[in-house]
Amino acid sequence: MDGRELVRSMWVFGRVRGPRALRSVWRRRRADAAALPERGPERARVPGRVVGVEPLPGGGIVRFARSELRVCVTVGAAVFWGWDGAEVSPSYAVAGEVPEPDTRVVLEPDTEGGWRVVAERVTVAVSREGAVEVRTPGGVVLRRELPPRWWEPVGGGGARWVQRSEVPADARFFGLGGRAAGPRLPDGSYRLWNSDPRGAFGPETDPLYITMPVQWVVADAGTHMAFYDCTWDGRVSLREGEEGAGSGHDRPGLSEVRMSGGPLRCWVLVGSPARIAYGWAQLTGAPAVPPSWALGPQHARWGFGSAKEVRRVVAGYRERGLPLSALHLDIDHYDGHRVFTVDRERFPDLPGLAAELRGQGVRLVSIVDPAVKAEPGGAVYEGGARVGARGAFVRDARGDVVRGVVWPGECVYPDFTDPLVREWWGGLYAERLEQGFSGVWHDMNEPVSFTPFGDMTLPRSARHALEGRGGDHREAHNVYGLAMARAGYEGLARLRPDERPFLFSRSGWAGMQRYGGTWSGDVATGWPGLRASLALVLGMGLCGVPYSGPDVGGFDGHPSAELYLRWFQLGAWLPLFRTHAAIDAGRREPWEFGPEVLEHARAALEERERLRPYFVTLARLARMTGAPYVRPVWWSAPEDRLLRDCGDAFLLGDALLVAPVLARGVERRAVRLPRGRWYDVATGRAYEGPGLVLVDAPLSRIPVLARAGAVVPVRGADGAVELEVWAPPPGRAGGGLVVRDAGDGWERAEVERYVSRWQGDEVRVERVTDEGVVAVGPEGVRVRGLRGAG
């Protein structure tokens, strides 16, 4: 803990009545000591030699002297393996029905006493000692899992385990949830335990709010994703490989996954990044589509304080002609920080305020924390006590309700791993809808209990339902936020069935995209925090969560005008575009930073609104294909090693490349281009990739380049959707997909496909339909890049 974190911890400690926090720590440690005795002597175990096999649909079981391995390749070419009887379910990540095995797969003998599972797009080889290799159909090894090792208490109990893996020497690692050091993960150790970092964080802080054992590996041999479906506390250690010079040997890249318990089971997806993303969405669930208004600019602050201040801020946007889609209320609008309440003195008519703002095109979004104040007579506390036979709240091993300390004081925690509790909690959102809120954001749901030291969470021995299986917090902690998101999303869908819920969550786990998105949390104000913001959005997108964004300007401190503007310009190109700040960090409205910043921020806001149809398209395509809105620049060319190392730019869909300014005083910056022709959208100048180009980045804008041939839906002057077409190179064609806004309900979206090509000295645009190709007239089409097309 550094000095800043210590100061914040003591501030929090004092704000929430220090003695109560100390009692909470003492109770937690006492409960863990009683219910989780020391493991004592342990016995190590490895699989041993192969003793037999049993063919099954999709693969089979390979039995070893001291273990057994189930391997299955599904119809979609996803590979699953589980040790010691570990099956696909139960799983918090896997959505719906278990994927069907591919019955065409063959289990056959391999060399030196091993076995292999041969499928159309992948081969899985199992050695006689228990190593598992994932190979391309041509035999190239993408990943080699060494024989695992378990440590089992001599006196009985669950085993902890380690799985070491080798990848090609040129491979680069990505993923693992929200990692501020990414998007390419440097060598080091990464904890798998969702954590509040005790204050604002930067690139060096780990872990953060969302950790996932989801690993992307990008190499010359191919791209793959490995997902270890285990929710327990763990750690992933990564070391990139090194290619041998001359006749020297390659040193492979290494990954080591250590888990404190739970099943050893793994999914591997191989292929192009787009194919992997699609397979991941098929496995873990399609991303929720936010309502179209949630793709516009949003404003938040911890400390609006009153309805008067809310009206002042919204009026400031309106008077200056700045677009605003939503305003978020933090915990200060609650009565004594109690969830599902309203401070009637500061917000005497919240429904009226919400209706008034909605008439101006601005929605209200409410924070929702999971902690419930432990107060006899409290509506939520008393209602939770009547849920089921044991009540809604997490209990310890002795059957007593677990108590912690959060903003309202002493609190209890709903057990969202119980279906009855999720149904009850989801019903409570009726109060939020009655107050006029259009969406919610979940906070403090790692979950958090304030302490002056140690993990700010519940006792590890706390008991959870875990869908009826039963277990403790060691298994439930990482999925607590995911289960809360499910409760909120399903509750909102029941209560308002004609509208898609809008929900995003600070914590979660693999599969959380089914219920909404996330945001950066308390990212530190500063240039390193700005860089971390981009890393988090890219990392979460690769892990299947496409809707995310940072606290524009940073959560703590006071950004300079330049830093605020550069953050604002980046945020305008990210899925969730929201300013937010701590209670003592000052105001973050664009006009607070002077007239020059205001005008440049206005330009960023207007461009975001002009591109709203493109964001609507990306949101719908993310649900259909799993592809994130924001993608690393290697997405379409993972074989390009220089692109793998590029972490300071990103692709927005297929059409645009955004190169934010991430350092002070920069007015020109280098941009690494993928293959093809790219146009600077501000100047129209054309650049040829692959290569490194120097592009102007004045304070008024950040570099954005459009792919030649791209067809991009934009909002025209009259509000209708127009097609912005960037001229393809001579003799080449381009195109794009368009999904028009079908409303905020559950309407089926129609995908329109367009092709751009030269015809004589003109660029023609055609729509491809089931009936054939239809030319698109010049009205509603704007061709750009003609000066640089030759």
Side-chain angles (χ1 to χ4, degrees):
M1 181 186 300
D2 63 23
R4 183 179 62 193
E5 290 173 335
L6 178 61
V7 168
R8 180 184 183 271
S9 293
M10 297 313 296
W11 176 80
V12 167
F13 188 60
R15 279 287 296 264
V16 297
R17 304 180 183 88
R20 289 187 177 180
L22 280 176
R23 284 198 300 272
S24 175
V25 174
W26 177 76
R27 286 195 301 262
R28 185 181 73 182
R29 293 190 171 182
R30 183 181 66 175
D32 286 348
L36 301 176
E38 294 293 328
R39 292 177 64 89
E42 295 180 314
R43 180 185 298 109
R45 175 170 61 88
V46 295
R49 290 290 186 97
V50 170
V51 296
V53 298
E54 177 186 349
L56 293 171
I61 297 175
V62 183
R63 293 189 172 88
F64 299 84
R66 291 176 293 275
S67 188
E68 70 176 34
L69 173 68
R70 166 73 189 278
V71 180
C72 180
V73 181
T74 72
V75 172
V79 179
F80 170 82
W81 64 76
W83 287 93
D84 291 342
E87 297 287 346
V88 173
S89 60
S91 169
Y92 276 95
V94 177
E97 297 295 324
V98 174
E100 291 292 326
D102 186 346
T103 56
R104 300 170 299 170
V105 166
V106 177
L107 174 66
E108 62 186 28
D110 201 6
T111 58
E112 299 181 355
W115 292 82
R116 64 186 177 192
V117 177
V118 182
E120 181 180 6
R121 295 203 298 264
V122 67
T123 297
V124 183
V126 182
S127 78
R128 63 183 180 181
E129 289 88 14
V132 180
E133 288 186 353
V134 180
R135 304 171 181 167
T136 67
V140 178
V141 177
L142 298 176
R143 187 180 193 88
R144 185 172 191 265
E145 305 262 323
L146 302 177
R149 183 179 293 266
W150 297 266
W151 286 268
E152 300 165 329
V154 173
R160 57 188 180 93
W161 53 266
V162 61
Q163 176 68 72
R164 296 184 177 93
S165 310
E166 295 178 347
V167 298
D170 64 287
R172 298 290 182 260
F173 295 102
F174 300 85
L176 298 183
R179 304 290 172 171
R184 170 188 167 189
L185 298 175
D187 291 358
S189 181
Y190 301 87
R191 191 179 178 195
L192 298 168
W193 188 254
N194 294 349
S195 302
D196 182 339
R198 291 176 169 271
F201 65 85
E204 74 288 347
T205 309
D206 191 86
L208 294 176
Y209 313 98
I210 302 175
T211 65
M212 296 185 197
V214 177
Q215 191 179 106
W216 278 71
V217 181
V218 186
D220 287 354
T223 303
H224 73 270
M225 171 200 278
F227 166 52
Y228 296 92
D229 192 355
C230 178
T231 66
W232 287 60
D233 190 3
R235 190 168 292 274
V236 177
S237 299
L238 302 176
R239 190 192 74 188
E240 291 182 355
E242 183 176 323
E243 293 181 289
S247 60
H249 293 291
D250 287 353
R251 187 191 73 189
L254 297 177
S255 166
E256 180 185 271
V257 180
R258 288 183 176 268
M259 289 290 189
S260 59
L264 201 179
R265 56 185 178 179
C266 183
W267 287 92
V268 172
L269 303 168
V270 302
S272 68
R275 181 181 291 276
I276 291 172
Y278 179 75
W280 182 243
Q282 293 295 301
L283 180 67
T284 62
V289 179
S292 58
W293 59 262
L295 296 169
Q298 305 178 50
H299 189 82
R301 191 201 315 154
W302 179 14
F304 278 124
S306 67
K308 179 180 179 181
E309 176 66 4
V310 168
R311 288 188 172 95
R312 185 195 72 80
V313 170
V314 174
Y317 274 87
R318 187 175 64 253
E319 291 163 4
R320 293 168 177 84
L322 303 177
L324 181 66
S325 288
L327 188 137
H328 299 220
L329 298 187
D330 211 315
I331 56 173
D332 49 294
H333 87 279
Y334 281 131
D335 180 10
H337 295 159
R338 298 170 178 86
V339 68
F340 300 120
T341 65
V342 176
D343 185 327
R344 299 295 180 184
E345 291 187 8
R346 292 184 292 170
F347 293 88
D349 181 16
L350 191 52
L353 174 64
E356 172 189 329
L357 297 184
R358 188 156 185 163
Q360 302 171 30
V362 179
R363 266 71 169 191
L364 279 185
V365 177
S366 170
I367 192 171
V368 173
D369 289 355
V372 175
K373 185 174 178 61
E375 55 176 349
V380 180
Y381 179 71
E382 296 290 354
R386 295 190 294 269
V387 174
R390 292 172 55 84
F393 305 118
V394 175
R395 295 177 179 267
D396 62 22
R398 297 177 302 177
D400 297 329
V401 174
V402 171
R403 298 193 176 208
V405 177
V406 199
W407 300 118
E410 194 165 57
C411 292
V412 294
Y413 300 82
D415 180 8
F416 297 114
T417 69
D418 185 335
L420 286 177
V421 176
R422 288 198 297 270
E423 184 177 5
W424 162 73
W425 185 264
L428 298 177
Y429 289 73
E431 182 272 342
R432 295 288 86 185
L433 297 180
E434 290 169 1
Q435 297 298 335
F437 289 107
S438 298
V440 297
W441 52 296
H442 288 173
D443 200 2
M444 308 296 286
N445 58 338
E446 289 70 37
V448 170
S449 176
F450 293 140
T451 68
F453 44 79
D455 277 347
M456 299 205 305
T457 188
L458 304 187
R460 292 178 174 242
S461 59
R463 302 296 300 174
H464 292 264
L466 290 168
E467 316 308 316
R469 293 181 288 112
D472 59 43
H473 197 66
R474 294 174 297 176
E475 182 178 0
H477 174 85
N478 281 336
V479 296
Y480 190 87
L482 168 71
M484 181 186 179
R486 178 180 178 181
Y489 182 88
E490 292 178 347
L492 289 169
R494 289 194 306 270
L495 293 165
R496 190 170 285 172
D498 295 332
E499 293 186 22
R500 299 192 305 274
F502 176 56
L503 183 152
F504 61 102
S505 173
R506 192 171 82 169
S507 184
W509 203 65
M512 65 180 293
Q513 73 275 0
R514 301 189 294 263
Y515 314 117
T518 185
W519 89 103
S520 66
D522 301 346
V523 62
T525 297
W527 294 98
L530 172 57
R531 182 175 289 271
S533 295
L534 176 56
L536 288 165
V537 174
L538 283 165
M540 291 306 302
L542 288 174
C543 291
V545 186
Y547 183 83
S548 66
D551 284 348
V552 168
F555 182 71
D556 67 337
H558 300 270
S560 67
E562 181 188 7
L563 174 60
Y564 173 82
L565 178 59
R566 291 308 196 187
W567 217 318
F568 198 90
Q569 290 168 335
L570 168 62
W573 296 92
L574 298 178
L576 172 58
F577 180 21
R578 183 182 84 146
T579 56
H580 187 228
I583 195 169
D584 56 349
R587 292 171 174 169
R588 293 290 171 81
E589 294 80 47
W591 56 87
E592 298 290 343
F593 294 86
E596 183 180 16
V597 170
L598 173 60
E599 288 312 304
H600 297 333
R602 181 195 310 280
L605 285 167
E606 290 174 349
E607 184 65 2
R608 172 61 177 241
E609 286 298 274
R610 193 179 75 89
L611 283 167
R612 181 83 73 89
Y614 187 49
F615 278 92
V616 169
T617 294
L618 294 177
R620 291 288 188 172
L621 293 178
R623 181 165 183 82
M624 297 173 187
T625 69
Y629 316 12
V630 170
R631 308 163 188 179
V633 291
W634 50 257
W635 184 262
S636 298
E639 70 281 356
D640 188 329
R641 295 189 178 191
L642 294 175
L643 292 180
R644 293 179 212 158
D645 298 338
C646 178
D648 61 355
F650 60 91
L651 297 174
L652 182 63
D654 289 330
L656 301 176
L657 189 155
V658 182
V661 173
L662 304 176
R664 179 186 296 110
V666 171
E667 293 187 353
R668 301 194 81 195
R669 62 150 293 176
V671 180
R672 175 70 60 183
L673 296 180
R675 182 183 298 108
R677 177 172 293 179
W678 296 85
Y679 297 100
D680 185 323
V681 301
T683 66
R685 180 177 176 181
Y687 299 90
E688 297 294 333
L692 191 66
V693 298
L694 196 60
V695 181
D696 289 338
L699 194 62
S700 60
R701 59 181 172 84
I702 59 176
V704 178
L705 296 104
R707 189 189 302 272
V711 178
V712 182
V714 298
R715 180 179 289 174
D718 61 354
V721 175
E722 295 180 351
L723 299 181
E724 186 167 83
V725 183
W726 291 90
R732 304 289 298 275
L737 302 177
V738 176
V739 184
R740 299 179 187 270
D741 189 355
D744 292 339
W746 305 94
E747 300 86 356
R748 181 180 177 84
E750 180 184 355
V751 180
E752 302 172 8
R753 182 185 173 194
Y754 292 91
V755 174
S756 63
R757 61 182 179 86
W758 284 95
Q759 188 174 53
D761 58 355
E762 291 184 339
V763 174
R764 298 291 302 274
V765 180
E766 299 168 333
R767 181 177 176 185
V768 180
T769 69
D770 293 339
E771 288 74 30
V773 176
V774 180
V776 179
E779 62 281 357
V781 176
R782 180 188 179 196
V783 179
R784 301 186 63 185
L786 293 175
R787 286 187 302 160

